[in-house]
């Protein structure tokens, strides 16, 4: 009997090991790619952040000198950080607001609604492309389409992307216009809200506005939280628009953190300093994400838990 039990045990173990091996073989392309193209560069970047590495010679260990230089000697650091925070502060709420409003409009059972949803979503497929950035630059230029429209009403336009007071606003408008993906996620969340809640509240005399604030927003809060976190992470890494449309100007009014990091790494060839900037950006994003997760328990509603988190 004992030998039979041991035989069954080792047989099951051998089958389990074979299944594990098959599983690892199936995920090996992704695993190799993750180790070589993601994890190893991350570790290398962390090491380089403590070195002086001008790219043309070997890295030289300097300890925390790069981090001290960021906070004590780099005059453009606080400027780029302020520009980035301003961009995040305005672009994320605007994008969430417009995507939610459009999602509510498209969450209706009308003829041809699938076509309308497709047409609204299409711009998000090309929204981050170089071509769109160039088009946006031309639209808001001195002789662009926006000033041409203002001319119809006798208003003399300005160079929106060449004016320090309005350049960042054009980038925020572009980010707001790229709401397609966020809208789709909101639309999926709206589909999950039980219609019975609206019907019951309607019988009790609740208006559409009251239903929005007391049913739609609470039930949609987990989706809103998800979009908020992704929006903040993406906005802190904004690069393409600033690089192509304004180049960080005028007067550094659109000189975002990611653009500064790029200049230090690929224009000045200060790879060690750029790595330190990258790790500081990671820390800032992680800190804000942690704050959002902590604050979510006060406003995010989870139906499965019977209330707020």
């Amino acid at each position: 009997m004992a030998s039979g039990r041991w035989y069954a045990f080792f047989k099951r173990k051998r089958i389990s090991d074979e299944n594990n091996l098959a599983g690892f073989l199936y995920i090996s392309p992704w695993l190799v790619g993750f180790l070589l193209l993601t994890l190893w560069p991350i570790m290398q970047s962390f090491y380089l952040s403590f070195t002086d590495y001008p790219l043309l010679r070997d890295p030289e260990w300097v300890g925390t000198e790069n981090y001290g230089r960021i906070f004590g000697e780099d005059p453009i650091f606080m400027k780029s950080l302020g520009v980035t925070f301003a961009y995040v502060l305005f672009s994320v709420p605007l994008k969430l607001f417009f995507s939610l409003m459009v999602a509510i409009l498209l969450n209706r059972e009308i003829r041809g609604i699938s076509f309308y949803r497709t047409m609204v979503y299409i711009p998000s497929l090309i929204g981050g492309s170089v071509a769109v950035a160039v088009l946006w630059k031309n639209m808001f230029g001195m002789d662009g389409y926006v000033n041409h429209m203002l001319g119809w009403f006798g208003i003399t336009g300005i160079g929106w992307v060449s004016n320090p007071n309005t350049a960042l606003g054009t980038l925020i408008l572009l980010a707001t216009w790229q709401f397609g993906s966020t809208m789709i996620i909101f639309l999926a969340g709206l589909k999950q809200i039980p219609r019975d809640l609206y019907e019951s509240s309607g019988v009790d005399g609740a208006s559409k506005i009251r239903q929005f604030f007391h049913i739609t927003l609470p039930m949609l809060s987990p989706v809103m939280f998800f979009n908020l976190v992704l929006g903040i992470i993406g906005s802190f890494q904004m690069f393409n628009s600033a690089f192509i449309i304004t180049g960080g100007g005028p007067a550094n009014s659109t000189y975002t953190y990611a653009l500064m990091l790029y200049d230090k790494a690929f224009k000045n060839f200060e790879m060690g300093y750029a790595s330190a900037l990258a790790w500081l950006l990671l820390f800032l994003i992680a800190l804000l994400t942690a704050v959002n997760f902590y604050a979510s328990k006060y406003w995010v509603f989870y139906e499965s838990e019977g209330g707020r988190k």
Side-chain angles (χ1 to χ4, degrees):
M1 291 291 293
S3 61
R5 286 196 297 269
W6 280 108
Y7 173 77
F9 170 77
F10 283 113
K11 184 177 180 181
R12 288 195 301 270
K13 187 176 184 304
R14 180 175 61 82
I15 294 174
S16 177
D17 291 340
E18 290 176 353
N19 291 337
N20 291 338
L21 178 60
F24 279 115
L25 288 176
Y26 276 114
I27 69 170
S28 59
W30 175 89
L31 192 61
V32 172
F34 171 75
L35 294 175
L36 296 182
L37 302 179
T38 302
L39 184 60
W40 177 246
I42 289 175
M43 295 171 61
Q44 283 286 90
S45 172
F46 183 71
Y47 165 73
L48 291 176
S49 70
F50 296 98
T51 67
D52 177 22
Y53 184 33
L55 194 63
L56 299 179
R57 59 178 174 82
D58 294 336
E60 179 182 346
W61 183 266
V62 294
T64 58
E65 183 178 311
N66 288 327
Y67 294 95
R69 177 185 165 192
I70 291 174
F71 293 103
E73 302 177 18
D74 195 338
I76 202 65
F77 166 72
M78 292 305 298
K79 174 65 176 179
S80 65
L81 195 61
V83 169
T84 303
F85 269 105
Y87 176 82
V88 173
L89 184 63
F90 287 99
S91 65
V92 174
L94 283 173
K95 189 173 184 177
L96 289 176
F97 174 77
F98 280 103
S99 58
L100 177 57
M101 293 301 102
V102 174
I104 292 175
L105 290 176
L106 295 178
N107 187 35
R108 306 172 66 183
E109 299 299 331
I110 61 176
R111 186 174 182 181
I113 190 64
S114 298
F115 173 78
Y116 299 137
R117 291 170 182 170
T118 303
M119 290 298 101
V120 171
Y121 179 69
I122 281 178
S124 68
L125 298 177
I126 59 174
S129 68
V130 174
V132 169
V134 173
L135 176 63
W136 205 260
K137 181 178 180 179
N138 292 332
M139 283 179 57
F140 286 89
M142 193 64 191
D143 299 322
Y145 186 66
V146 173
N147 284 343
H148 182 67
M149 290 180 60
L150 292 176
W152 297 346
F153 304 96
I155 302 174
T156 302
I158 62 174
W160 301 93
V161 296
S162 58
N163 189 320
N165 298 321
T166 58
L168 185 61
T170 61
L171 302 185
I172 293 172
L173 284 177
L174 176 57
T176 305
W177 177 72
Q178 299 167 348
F179 61 80
S181 299
T182 307
M183 179 271 297
I184 288 294
I185 297 174
F186 272 132
L187 185 59
L190 290 170
K191 292 292 184 183
Q192 301 303 313
I193 301 177
R195 304 304 304 175
D196 296 345
L197 296 178
Y198 294 103
E199 295 172 359
S200 300
S201 62
V203 171
D204 292 336
S207 64
K208 294 294 184 182
I209 296 178
R210 193 174 182 86
Q211 289 177 346
F212 175 76
F213 284 102
H214 292 275
I215 297 177
T216 304
L217 284 185
M219 297 297 291
L220 205 60
S221 57
V223 178
M224 190 174 300
F225 173 63
F226 176 79
N227 281 331
L228 174 65
V229 171
L230 289 188
I232 291 175
I233 294 174
S235 296
F236 264 101
Q237 301 176 74
M238 192 275 288
F239 171 78
N240 283 353
S241 301
F243 180 73
I244 297 169
I245 298 176
T246 63
N252 292 330
S253 60
T254 60
Y255 197 63
T256 62
Y257 194 98
L259 194 56
M260 175 189 176
L261 196 158
Y262 170 84
D263 285 345
K264 296 296 183 183
F266 300 106
K267 286 187 177 180
N268 301 339
F269 299 110
E270 299 178 70
M271 291 296 177
Y273 188 66
S275 296
L277 288 171
W279 276 93
L280 181 59
L281 178 61
L282 174 63
F283 173 77
L284 288 174
I285 292 175
L287 179 62
L288 287 175
T289 302
V291 170
N292 279 322
F293 270 93
Y294 176 78
S296 67
K297 65 182 180 182
Y298 297 107
W299 64 277
V300 178
F301 175 87
Y302 292 98
E303 185 180 10
S304 60
E305 298 180 9
R308 287 179 171 81
K309 184 177 176 182

